[in-house]
Amino acid sequence: MPHDGGARAGVSELGVSGAGAADTGSLPPVPEVAASERALTFAGAALAAVYVPGVGNEELLLVETAGCATSEYELPQRLPLSGGSPAAQAFRTDRPLWLNPAVLASYPEGGPTPPRAEASLAALPLGTEGRRLGCLVVVGDSADGFEAGQRHFLERYADAVACRLQTGSGRAAPTSLLGPALRSLRVGSFVLVPDTGLIEADETLLELVGIAPDDFDGKVDTLLAHALPEDMHALMSVVEPSTQALGRRELELRVRRPTGEMRWLSLSCRVVASADGGPEQVLGVVTATSVLSQSPDDVSRIQWLTAALDEVATVRDVSRVVVTALREPLGADRVALAEVQNDRLMVTVLDPPKPAAWPEAWRAEWRSEWPDAPLSALPTLQMALRDGRMDLWPAGTAFEPGLAGVGAGGLAVLPLPAKGRVAGVCLVGWDKPHEFVPEERSLLTATAALVGQAFKRAHEHDAEQELAAMLQRSLLPRRLPELAGGTAVARYLPARRGLQVGGDWYDVIALSEDRVALVIGDVQGHSAGAATIMGQMRTAVRAYAVEGHPPDVVVSYANRLLVGMETDLFATCCYVELDMEQGNALFVRAGHLSPLLRHPDGTTEEVQVEGGLPLGILAEAEFPMTAVALAPGTVLALVTDGLVEGADLPLDEGVRRTRTALTAADPADPGRMVDALLGGLDRREDDVALLLLRYDGMKTRPIRAGWAVWRLPDAVMHARRFTARTLRRWKVGDVTDEVLLVVSELVTNALVHTQGAVRVDLTLREARVRVCVSDSSPRAPAKPVIVDWESTGGRGLLLVEAMSEAFGSMPVAGGKQVWSEIVLPRREPAPADSEPRTEQGGLS
């Protein structure tokens, strides 16, 4: 709730004395300016000001001020947008600033004058629908800064001012902003004289209660007549305060309007003492409970929660109401709500929303906005959901890894029942040891029942959106592979408008132990149709890549496939194949944004990749490749246009901001790095996909040797001699017999059963020798089902399989590759020359 924080009066005095008021029987009407000053004072604001961009967007101009301290403080009339003032910083970053006096003193400009040791300041950006309209600056007179309730109120106030500015977009800003915005929040104020029973109430307060201004006689009894009898006792402590009640009071009450409607109100007041120490005046504000938070330790909390849940429609809104009702009132450090769908927990809200505040196991599943996890991995929750009862776990309880760190000081697990089943679960966690008092147990139990029913209703409302989100998750990779020599992370955020499913996709494809392909793309449109095409394109690109085709061929095949689908949609794509051993990267771009590189020294660049047409336009389009060498420590970033472009964000400016964020981010943690690039991305007019790879280089670099087999009668003999020479040079003679046997059989099969070129490649990596024989036939070798003494063939593959630790075949461009791995008896020291060598053999 708004808190005056020991604010000075700043509230208009009664227009007449107590005796005079008694004679007239009523108090004069409240001036609008005085009513606004009261509300701002209780919000901790001595002065409020609005700045808007000037012509050319090079400076902020002061257009209006309000508050009880307009004559005591002055704010600069102009502030450069590139300067260091709090208002300019909040405008540029689109994030609010809450500055206590010590922090405010460190800002070189933009503060109130004359400066005072107790003055605090808040700068809140004003904007709607991604547009930046200005900044609201609030000067407070409390040395402790603004409290949580005051911040919440001022944020809502900023939104109301932004709506007024939006109304005036395209023409001059409205001449009056602060007063109408405050009235739109429906905050009423009053001054009560306990000795006379007369009350000075503004029109907003009368409207909240349901009294016409002309019908109000200025008596507090007239207002009390609209309150419910159950709340009368608490109200009387305000109307007739005792000497001990001096100070601040907060309570909730219900009023019955003339239409029969019941309305919940929040009342915040403070008692002003007279010269003799008795209560002289009661100054206060009243607002609807949807504006400010409530008290946790009263039955009214449950009644408020019931009313609040009845007004929300979506699952996300239900979750926010629950967070408001539980986290701050209970002093909790974390609140999580999740739905149960097909034995998986689908998280709907986490508070705080930062990944670092939650367990490592959750961050590993953080693929889009929130993680999801199987119930089988969380036995504590599984048991609570099966029994359908609340579990309260004290400090020091040992949980499974998926819950470790959620509630070290205490954890409440609340199943959410709905129509005979459990719809979800709510977790409330504390870091410091917490004791569950009886009042909290009652609150948690009642909250679970109410939220379960609300979840059920909201889920039906969100059915279309939830199905869309499930479709999107199923089309994107569940997790990215672990890579030797690098770390890849990705994020996908759906648009906040329309159907939350789109055509952005990404993938990381491990082609071999030392080669990886990265792809990011965007199908035209924002619909289920675009998502369907996206899924087909991702599958096709993965299939072509695994077959072993070079990057330009992979993209060309995908283009022909999309053209053949005869759809009206096209797609953009950026495909990268990276040699993790050498650091060589091949880029292909089809109408997509160029990739970004962050070099080890922190500098960034936009890779100049020669581009081709988007996929699906021309079947015979060409897609040239661009080669770039990456040094260890380089970070490669692939993005879609939703991150760098918007209605009010030009592409060049968006790319510049992303490069700046890429430079400032710490590459030591790629997960945090990708979150830093996303930043406070609230507009989300389009889907956003972001794929990052930090290239570290391979710690153990393999040694290679290759031999082109000539089709001669003694070809197998030459292949064996090449193999023997290589093994002697590598000092792994202990496996010479096994490797020679494998080479003999595989080369013989290739020469007998295929046409075209045959090649032998040997690789020594740590304690394994890998033999690969490539040929031009796509057919995999077939092992015989039965081999007896009369068989004329088929024993070779059985011998190879018996000699090998691992054995198989895979398709490659233009044929296949049959491979075998043989483990060395013991680990040998690496050769002195750790650089990879490729030896091309021939007849000597």
Side-chain angles (χ1 to χ4, degrees), residues 222-308:
T222 305
L223 291 174
L224 293 178
H226 291 260
L228 269 63
E230 295 88 341
D231 299 331
M232 192 63 66
H233 177 75
L235 282 173
M236 291 307 297
S237 65
V238 174
V239 175
E240 299 177 357
S242 63
T243 305
Q244 292 77 18
L246 297 180
R248 185 178 179 83
R249 286 290 310 280
E250 295 181 3
L251 58 91
E252 296 172 352
L253 66 144
R254 294 162 294 172
V255 295
R256 184 74 66 183
R257 292 169 57 83
T259 59
E261 170 196 1
M262 187 186 74
R263 174 172 289 174
W264 276 89
L265 302 177
S266 288
L267 184 150
S268 178
C269 66
R270 59 190 179 91
V271 180
V272 179
S274 61
D276 59 2
E280 180 179 16
Q281 291 181 350
V282 180
L283 314 177
V285 293
V286 177
T287 184
T289 54
S290 58
V291 176
L292 305 173
S293 59
Q294 311 302 312
S295 172
D297 55 358
D298 198 337
V299 175
S300 61
R301 164 61 62 181
I302 301 302
Q303 294 171 321
W304 172 85
L305 181 60
T306 303

Side-chain angles (χ1 to χ4, degrees), residues 398-424:
F399 295 107
E400 57 267 26
L403 289 181
V406 176
L411 178 67
V413 180
L414 284 69
L416 307 177
K419 297 183 179 180
R421 70 178 186 89
V422 177

Side-chain angles (χ1 to χ4, degrees), residues 367-391:
R367 295 188 302 277
S368 56
E369 281 190 280
W370 308 121
D372 65 274
L375 276 175
S376 57
L378 301 168
T380 299
L381 301 189
Q382 195 173 26
M383 177 179 63
L385 294 175
R386 183 183 65 247
D387 297 339
R389 60 179 177 80
M390 177 178 64
D391 285 339

Side-chain angles (χ1 to χ4, degrees), residues 48-53 60-64 79 81 85-92 95-97 121-127 132-138 158 161 165 177-178:
V50 177
Y51 285 88
V52 299
L60 292 174
L61 305 179
L62 178 65
V63 296
E64 185 181 359
L79 292 172
L81 267 177
S85 64
Q89 182 178 344
F91 183 86
R92 291 194 305 267
R95 294 181 179 180
L97 293 178
L121 186 140
L124 296 92
L126 303 176
R132 299 182 182 180
L133 305 175
C135 184
L136 174 67
V137 174
V138 180
V161 175
L165 278 174
L177 295 168
L178 295 171

Side-chain angles (χ1 to χ4, degrees), residues 560-650:
R560 293 187 181 184
L561 175 66
L562 185 55
V563 171
M565 291 181 184
E566 297 183 352
T567 178
D568 295 332
L569 303 178
F570 64 85
T572 64
C573 161
C574 183
Y575 182 95
V576 185
E577 183 177 310
L578 176 61
D579 183 343
M580 304 297 287
E581 180 183 330
Q582 301 289 342
N584 297 323
L586 294 175
F587 293 84
V588 175
R589 188 167 62 90
H592 200 79
L593 297 172
S594 296
L596 303 176
L597 286 182
R598 183 190 190 277
H599 297 290
D601 61 0
T603 60
T604 62
E605 68 167 310
E606 189 175 354
V607 183
Q608 300 303 313
V609 179
E610 186 177 356
L613 291 174
L615 307 179
I617 295 180
L618 181 64
E620 303 303 323
E622 295 184 356
F623 302 96
M625 292 190 297
T626 302
V628 177
L630 306 184
T634 301
V635 177
L636 170 64
L638 305 179
V639 305
T640 58
D641 55 1
L643 178 66
V644 297
E645 190 174 23
D648 62 341
L649 181 64

